[in-house]
């Protein structure tokens, strides 16, 4: 399909790991991104992965890429209250250089 | 990191008036700027792509006469919502890219437009 798909809501206990999943659309997409949006704010690039990689780790963040299934995931280790936000999966289309966003996953942290 | 600012951060205008939103790249030159619209609990919808010194390219379904985009310099792009109506109320976000091969777009903080 033409939509980047991700679940809309995830609830996690503080200190646990959060895993946000995404299915993207274009197998030739060059870059895949995770953005974070806090209430009333713009988007902050959290991390990205180039399409020839299958994993990238950056401190508490781990990105896994399965190109065959066009599946991207973001794992946040030791989830903190400050991680509460909306997380957008996005892909950069190879054919016209656009970045296409999913609808965002709202991460809620339980005490 | 690179910073993109937007002004104003929020604006209320009356139906039928026009409102201009500015997007500035503060510490880099942006060859390309993008304008997005975000509805509550929705994703970002790309409205148009603008390259410095040339006309903006609008996405299908976006009225170019209603949403006027100007990218007159490498650090400034403006979006003017003309003859605004309540259905134009939304969160408008711009982003900027430093060069054609840059993987990253830097996003502004957004402008919330409310049309009464």
């Amino acid at each position: 399909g033409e939509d980047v798909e991700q679940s809309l809501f995830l609830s996690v206990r503080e200190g646990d790991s959060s895993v946000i999943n995404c299915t993207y659309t274009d197998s030739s997409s060059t870059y895949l991104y995770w953005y974070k949006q806090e209430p009333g704010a713009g988007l902050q690039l959290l991390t990205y992965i180039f399409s020839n990689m299958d994993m990238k780790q950056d401190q508490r963040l781990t990105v896994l890429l399965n190109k065959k299934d066009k599946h991207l995931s973001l794992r946040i280790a030791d989830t903190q209250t400050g991680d509460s936000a909306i997380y957008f999966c996005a892909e950069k289309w190879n054919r016209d250089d656009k970045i296409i966003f999913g609808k965002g996953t709202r991460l809620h942290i339980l005490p | 990191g690179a910073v993109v600012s937007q002004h104003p951060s929020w604006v209320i205008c009356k139906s039928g008036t026009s409102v201009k939103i500015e997007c500035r790249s503060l510490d880099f030159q942006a060859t390309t700027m993008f304008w997005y619209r975000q509805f509550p609990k929705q994703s970002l919808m790309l409205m148009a792509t603008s390259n410095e010194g040339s006309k903006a390219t609008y996405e299908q379904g976006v009225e170019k006469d209603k949403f006027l985009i100007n990218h007159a310099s490498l650090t400034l792009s403006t979006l003017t919502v003309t003859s605004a109506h309540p259905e134009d109320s939304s969160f408008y976000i711009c982003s900027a890219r430093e060069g054609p091969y840059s993987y990253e777009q830097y996003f502004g903080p957004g402008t919330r437009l409310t049309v009464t």
Side-chain angles (χ1 to χ4, degrees), chain A residues 27-83:
Chain A
S27 58
S28 67
S29 287
T30 50
Y31 289 95
L32 297 133
Y33 307 86
W34 284 103
Y35 284 88
K36 177 182 181 182
Q37 185 181 34
E38 299 188 50
L43 271 68
Q44 171 198 354
L45 178 65
L46 273 183
T47 187
Y48 69 96
I49 188 167
F50 190 53
S51 58
N52 68 351
M53 301 166 65
D54 51 23
M55 188 185 90
K56 181 178 180 180
Q57 187 155 2
D58 183 3
Q59 299 183 334
R60 292 192 296 123
L61 306 178
T62 303
V63 178
L64 295 179
L65 174 61
N66 180 329
K67 280 190 69 175
K68 175 176 168 289
D69 295 335
K70 291 184 282 187
H71 185 264
L72 185 73
S73 69
L74 172 70
R75 178 175 179 269
I76 305 173
D78 187 24
T79 308
Q80 305 295 309
T81 54
D83 296 325

Side-chain angles (χ1 to χ4, degrees), chain B residues 61-114:
Chain B
V62 178
E63 298 175 62
K64 61 181 180 183
D65 294 331
K66 180 168 186 58
F67 298 100
L68 300 178
I69 291 171
N70 183 280
H71 190 168
S73 79
L74 285 170
T75 58
L76 173 64
S77 176
T78 60
L79 167 68
T80 302
V81 183
T82 62
S83 187
H85 288 98
E87 56 265 31
D88 299 325
S89 298
S90 194
F91 195 52
Y92 291 88
I93 302 177
C94 75
S95 69
R97 189 172 67 192
E98 193 163 0
Y101 305 109
S102 173
Y103 70 88
E104 186 167 1
Q105 289 182 17
Y106 302 98
F107 283 80
T111 296
R112 183 160 302 284
L113 169 64
T114 301

Side-chain angles (χ1 to χ4, degrees), chain A residues 8 31 33 35 37 40-45 48 86 88 92 97-104 106, chain B residues 34 36 38 41-44 46 49 59 91 93 97 100-105 107-110 112:
Chain A
L8 296 182
Y31 289 95
Y33 307 86
Y35 284 88
Q37 185 181 34
L43 271 68
Q44 171 198 354
L45 178 65
Y48 69 96
I86 300 175
F88 289 93
K92 188 174 186 181
D97 217 25
K98 292 177 188 171
I99 294 182
I100 304 300
F101 290 83
K103 284 188 168 57
R106 185 177 295 272
Chain B
F34 305 85
Y36 294 84
Q38 186 181 30
K41 299 182 180 179
Q42 295 280 330
S43 184
L44 277 74
L46 179 64
T49 301
E59 294 299 301
F91 195 52
I93 302 177
R97 189 172 67 192
Y101 305 109
S102 173
Y103 70 88
E104 186 167 1
Q105 289 182 17
F107 283 80
R112 183 160 302 284

